[in-house]
Amino acid sequence: MKIVVLDGLTLNPGDLSWSALEALGEVTVYDRTSPAELIERASDAPVLFTNKTIIDAAAIKALPQLKYIGVLATGYNVVDIEAARECGVVVTNIPAYSTYSVAQMVFSHILNITQHVDHYANEVRQRVWSSQADFSYTNTPLIELAEKKIGIVGLGHTGMATARIALGFGMEVCAFTSKEASSLPEGIQKATSIDELFQTCDVVSLHCPLTSETKELVNARRLSLMKKSAILINTGRGGLVNEADLAKALEQGDLAAAGLDVMVSEPPVAENPLLKLSNCYITPHIAWATKEARVRLMKQTVANLKAYLEGKTINNVVK
């Protein structure tokens, strides 16, 4: 059986092994695949794996031998699920593999913004501290998180992990979630509305999927509700935020800062206004990419395909 990995470089830049997958068939791994290369590379493979390579309806219908698509991520919007259903193609994803890594990145951004760690490390490197008269040197405000209010939009695996870390810092946690208030763990309050969350929280962190309902949920109107001292964190999907509106709000001082690990266009175009703002901290979609998370991803990738081959499909997103 031929197995093609269309874009394996981000999952395995060389520090992992494909051997467990190779035990299940003849594996060909491409670092990345352009739209023009997709059909040729996938033409005789019943099994495809993709991370960001888009497999649309036209591609699925042009590949009659295709039986299985494994998405090397939790989100599966890169595959046309309706076309897969129509053609009898199984599509699986990898849920919850990066929960702890993403929650860790949320607080990496929060702590960098509140403590200015990179700024001060650079100041020391530039010998600024060495020229001071006092033992302690600051030239920015420093913010304690205890008793600050964090609003979490979406309380799935990652949202809940983020909430637990926040509670450990002594923060007040408020969540916008479909879960019943009575089912939430001690210390987590349910927001009465998403607008109330944006209006009252010192930090807002996005953990919901990107859907037609959540697209650009952070927009000019909602940003205008936030405290001028507030911080926005997005480790979910870039499309949750209207980037032009966010850039304007940050530039005008309508909120203090933003920490983003995801963008609408990845990589972002050089002209993106967020790239020039000193109060916008952007990391290149790496929250998921710790080695520990990628090891879990690889293991679940193999487990998903093995289960399918044994007739016990798991993590099938084609309902």
Side-chain angles (χ1 to χ4, degrees):
M1 178 183 63
K2 186 170 182 179
I3 301 168
V4 173
V5 182
L6 295 169
D7 49 2
L9 183 64
T10 51
L11 165 57
N12 181 13
D15 57 349
L16 303 182
S17 171
W18 295 104
S19 60
L21 190 62
E22 290 167 344
L24 301 178
E26 177 191 347
V27 178
T28 302
V29 180
Y30 297 99
D31 286 350
R32 57 186 68 83
T33 295
S34 70
E37 296 168 323
L38 173 59
I39 300 302
E40 179 184 356
R41 290 181 172 182
S43 61
D44 57 349
V47 175
L48 294 180
F49 285 99
T50 179
N51 190 330
K52 295 300 180 186
T53 301
I54 294 173
I55 305 178
D56 59 16
I60 291 171
K61 291 172 183 177
L63 298 169
Q65 80 297 329
L66 183 60
K67 303 299 180 187
Y68 178 97
I69 300 171
V71 180
L72 302 171
T74 302
Y76 48 88
N77 55 304
V78 295
V79 178
D80 189 312
I81 299 300
E82 185 56 39
R85 182 184 295 109
E86 291 175 5
C87 296
V89 177
V90 169
V91 181
T92 64
N93 74 334
I94 315 291
Y97 73 93
S98 62
T99 296
Y100 301 113
S101 294
V102 176
Q104 179 175 299
M105 179 61 84
V106 171
F107 272 86
S108 295
H109 275 289
I110 292 171
L111 292 170
N112 181 56
I113 291 167
T114 56
Q115 298 292 133
H116 302 279
V117 175
D118 183 62
H119 165 75
Y120 283 110
N122 190 58
E123 291 280 89
V124 173
R125 201 174 292 118
Q126 299 300 319
R127 310 294 191 269
V128 176
W129 189 24
S130 298
S131 66
Q132 302 303 308
D134 301 311
F135 77 95
S136 179
Y137 161 70
T138 61
N139 63 355
T140 69
L142 300 175
I143 300 167
E144 185 175 83
L145 293 178
E147 299 186 6
K148 298 295 189 297
K149 187 174 184 180
I150 184 171
I152 297 175
V153 181
L155 204 57
H157 293 290
T158 308
M160 191 67 77
T162 301
R164 288 195 293 267
I165 296 172
L167 290 170
F169 274 102
M171 299 184 78
E172 181 181 345
V173 179
C174 176
F176 182 74
T177 175
S178 59
K179 293 180 171 67
E180 294 293 331
S182 59
S183 72
L184 299 184
E186 183 179 354
I188 303 177
Q189 302 172 347
K190 180 169 180 173
T192 57
S193 70
I194 193 167
D195 283 355
E196 181 256 342
L197 181 147
F198 273 79
Q199 194 167 23
T200 61
C201 288
D202 301 292
V203 179
V204 174
S205 188
L206 307 180
H207 298 280
C208 54
L210 177 60
T211 65
S212 57
E213 289 77 27
T214 62
K215 183 179 180 182
E216 296 189 359
L217 71 85
V218 179
N219 50 38
R221 186 190 70 79
R222 205 153 269 143
L223 288 163
S224 72
L225 301 175
M226 298 182 76
K227 300 177 180 180
K228 290 185 181 298
S229 58
I231 297 165
L232 175 71
I233 305 293
N234 186 15
T235 56
R237 287 290 182 266
L240 297 172
V241 176
N242 181 307
E243 292 178 346
D245 289 351
L246 176 60
K248 185 175 181 180
L250 288 168
E251 198 163 24
Q252 293 178 167
D254 294 332
L255 74 160
L260 312 174
D261 188 58
V262 288
M263 305 286 286
V264 172
S265 174
E266 296 178 341
V269 297
E271 298 76 22
N272 189 309
L274 291 171
L275 303 185
K276 68 180 182 180
L277 299 178
S278 61
N279 56 347
C280 187
Y281 302 86
I282 303 172
T283 47
H285 203 147
I286 56 171
W288 69 281
T290 62
K291 185 172 183 179
E292 292 82 356
R294 290 184 293 108
V295 166
R296 285 192 291 270
L297 196 161
M298 183 71 84
K299 287 181 179 178
Q300 192 60 56
T301 293
V302 174
N304 282 357
L305 180 56
K306 187 175 181 181
Y308 165 75
L309 295 175
E310 294 172 350
K312 309 170 190 174
T313 303
I314 58 175
N315 296 319
N316 185 9
V317 299
V318 180
K319 307 301 182 184

